[in-house]
Amino acid sequence: MKLSLAIVALALAIPSATYAQDSTAVSKGEYPNTFSSGSANVSPFTNQSKRFNDWSISAGVGVPLLQSADLTSIKNGNGKNLFGYSAYVSIDKAITHAFGINLQYDKGETRQGWFNTKKTAPDATAVGARTQYDAISILGDINFSNLLRRVDNHSPYRWALHGYAGIGTIAYRAYQKDINGQRLMTEVKPFQLGSMFMQAGTGLKFKVNRRIDIEGRLMYVVTGDDEFDGGGDAYSAINKRSEQVSDNFFNATLGVSLKLGKHESHLMWHDPLQEIYYKLDVLANKNQDIEVCKKGDADNDGVCDDWDRQLDTPAGARVDGAGVALDTDLDGVIDLYDKCVTVPGPVENNGCPVATTGPVVETETKLEGIEFDLNSDRILPSNTPILNNAVNYINSSSGSYNVIGATDTRGTDAYNQKLSERRANNVKNYLIKNGVQTGKLQAIGKGEKDLKYPECEPATKCPEWKNRANRRVYFEAK
């Protein structure tokens, strides 16, 4: 029986030990990615990353004490404790930093009853027993220290509290001894339905170094069998002493673990917070030269040539985010050269209006053009200040004005004509609603026949800012 269990345990352990040498991670190009910082130090915290050792071999010895049975190891009749012996060996696999699975083989002997079976029975009423057992079980291993670690921990730690629970199969031979001698009472073979058992407990580990841990464990074993203590069959006189139907025992052990693999750290000793601190320290200490404006800034407008849409901006001109010189009134004269920055006018007159195109000059008012989105006649909120200035000026003027709408060259002539009329009427209605006399305004739509930038025919010939300037409403004196 013992030999067969040992062979099974060895057969299960050899493949595990073979693959216990942790492999090095092979990058698949997933990190860094477009969703990360781009740092070479960024990597996922998963078992697949293989940055930690996750296999180990453990072994230990201990003392089993039969506690819940008809014949116990603790002061059973004679006031003395009877100590047995036990040993275990296991192959341990860490799944995460807080959970692992162990394949464990246990062997031992419990001693219970009135006297040690190595001695002679003291009298006719004394009964002693011993049970030799072999067991194989699978245990779940929870690392409570990592699971419940405080978030402000910033130092390496060497103690860890573990919890264990699992099931397996147990085989045993229970002997009973009295004044008539010793005899085999019960024998259970391994891997049978009646040989299943459970065990659970806790352990405290101490990290000696990166390779070796020492651990003290206290396990509670539930055999599920009323004959484990050597009391004989279920209806024997001894087994009628108590009503319990499962002989259970404590097993206190002291063991050592050998961590396998070539990495510096074992997964079960790895605190994820330490990973964060490490990355922060690396990034803080690493000098990274970031090259800005690889192509330079040829026109010195403050916008890199990499994304500058106007590479020859005149010196001193204010620009937008795309490096294009500002033309506030969209009259084709940039603000640097425009004598009337906020009032549209022809290039020949330095951007100021002339008498034939309207009475408005820079010294008199702030009347600017109004732009629209593509295929839209909606007045944009950004145009409200311009329109309010127009209300004030027109009300203070004795003249009357044409409110002229225009479009860019996209779309048919008929569609653009109607769109320009809607734009002009919307602006006219806004001015009237805000206090301008109806008789002072006339809405006129010119479609695509009144382009501010005639070279934008078709629209694909021009940048979008010029097409936007063509989509406008402006004022003209009658």
Side-chain angles (χ1 to χ4, degrees), residues 54-338:
D54 51 11
W55 288 93
S56 61
I57 296 177
S58 301
V61 295
V63 177
L65 294 169
L66 205 59
Q67 172 266 338
S68 175
D70 300 288
L71 297 175
T72 65
S73 304
I74 305 172
K75 296 181 179 180
N76 195 110
N78 63 354
K80 294 182 179 181
N81 298 324
L82 301 177
F83 300 101
Y85 64 88
S86 66
Y88 74 88
V89 61
S90 67
I91 299 294
D92 312 325
K93 166 67 174 177
I95 306 301
T96 71
H97 71 293
F99 179 73
I101 295 178
N102 303 342
L103 175 64
Q104 182 167 302
Y105 170 66
D106 290 272
K107 179 179 179 62
E109 179 179 289
T110 62
R111 293 170 182 168
Q112 54 274 355
W114 279 264
F115 65 96
N116 192 326
T117 56
K118 290 185 176 181
K119 299 180 180 180
T120 305
D123 55 58
T125 60
V127 177
R130 63 187 179 92
T131 304
Q132 297 175 337
Y133 67 88
D134 297 85
I136 294 178
S137 58
I138 295 179
L139 299 176
D141 177 3
I142 298 178
N143 186 339
F144 288 111
S145 294
N146 261 345
L147 190 64
L148 305 176
R149 186 159 299 283
R150 290 170 47 139
V151 296
D152 60 353
N153 176 61
H154 200 307
S155 61
Y157 61 101
R158 306 189 73 173
W159 293 93
L161 180 65
H162 286 246
Y164 302 95
I167 60 173
T169 178
I170 187 169
Y172 68 88
R173 287 181 177 180
Y175 298 89
Q176 186 183 111
K177 187 175 183 179
D178 55 22
I179 196 169
N180 296 318
Q182 179 176 275
R183 58 192 175 278
L184 176 64
M185 301 298 294
T186 308
E187 181 176 7
V188 173
K189 300 291 185 180
F191 305 113
Q192 297 181 3
L193 183 61
S195 69
M196 299 298 292
F197 81 104
M198 298 181 295
Q199 62 175 327
T202 185
L204 184 63
K205 280 190 176 183
F206 176 73
K207 181 181 179 182
V208 178
N209 53 45
R210 62 179 288 264
R211 285 295 181 193
I212 297 176
D213 297 337
I214 295 176
E215 180 181 22
R217 286 189 195 177
L218 181 62
M219 303 294 291
Y220 190 68
V221 180
V222 179
T223 68
D225 190 337
D226 195 21
E227 301 179 17
F228 183 86
D229 62 354
D233 63 66
Y235 301 101
S236 67
I238 292 178
N239 275 337
K240 290 181 180 179
R241 294 180 59 191
S242 64
E243 296 181 356
Q244 50 76 32
V245 294
S246 176
D247 296 336
N248 309 327
F249 63 92
F250 286 103
N251 191 17
T253 60
L254 181 64
V256 62
S257 294
L258 176 62
K259 292 167 282 190
L260 306 176
K262 57 187 177 181
H263 299 294
E264 287 296 321
S265 178
H266 190 277
L267 186 56
M268 274 289 192
W269 283 106
H270 183 74
D271 180 1
L273 290 174
Q274 294 296 330
E275 182 84 357
I276 297 174
Y277 299 138
Y278 168 74
K279 300 302 182 187
L280 292 177
D281 291 342
V282 169
L283 294 176
N285 296 329
K286 185 175 182 180
N287 294 323
Q288 295 181 345
D289 296 328
I290 301 176
E291 187 175 4
V292 181
C293 282
K294 184 179 294 186
K295 296 182 179 179
D297 181 12
D299 51 10
N300 294 314
D301 61 358
V303 179
C304 297
D305 291 350
D306 304 69
W307 52 83
D308 196 333
R309 288 172 47 193
Q310 188 179 65
L311 297 175
D312 57 351
T313 305
R318 294 184 302 153
V319 298
D320 59 18
V324 178
L326 293 180
D327 179 9
T328 303
D329 54 11
L330 301 174
D331 59 2
V333 181
I334 64 173
D335 293 353
L336 180 66
Y337 304 134
D338 199 331

Side-chain angles (χ1 to χ4, degrees), residues 375-416:
N375 295 334
S376 173
D377 58 8
R378 183 177 69 91
I379 297 175
L380 300 173
S382 59
N383 290 325
T384 302
I386 301 174
L387 291 174
N388 291 338
N389 286 337
V391 170
N392 295 332
Y393 175 75
I394 293 173
N395 283 339
S396 63
S397 170
S398 58
S400 57
Y401 301 88
N402 292 328
V403 182
I404 301 173
T407 70
D408 61 21
T409 58
R410 282 173 283 203
T412 64
D413 291 347
Y415 175 81
N416 286 336

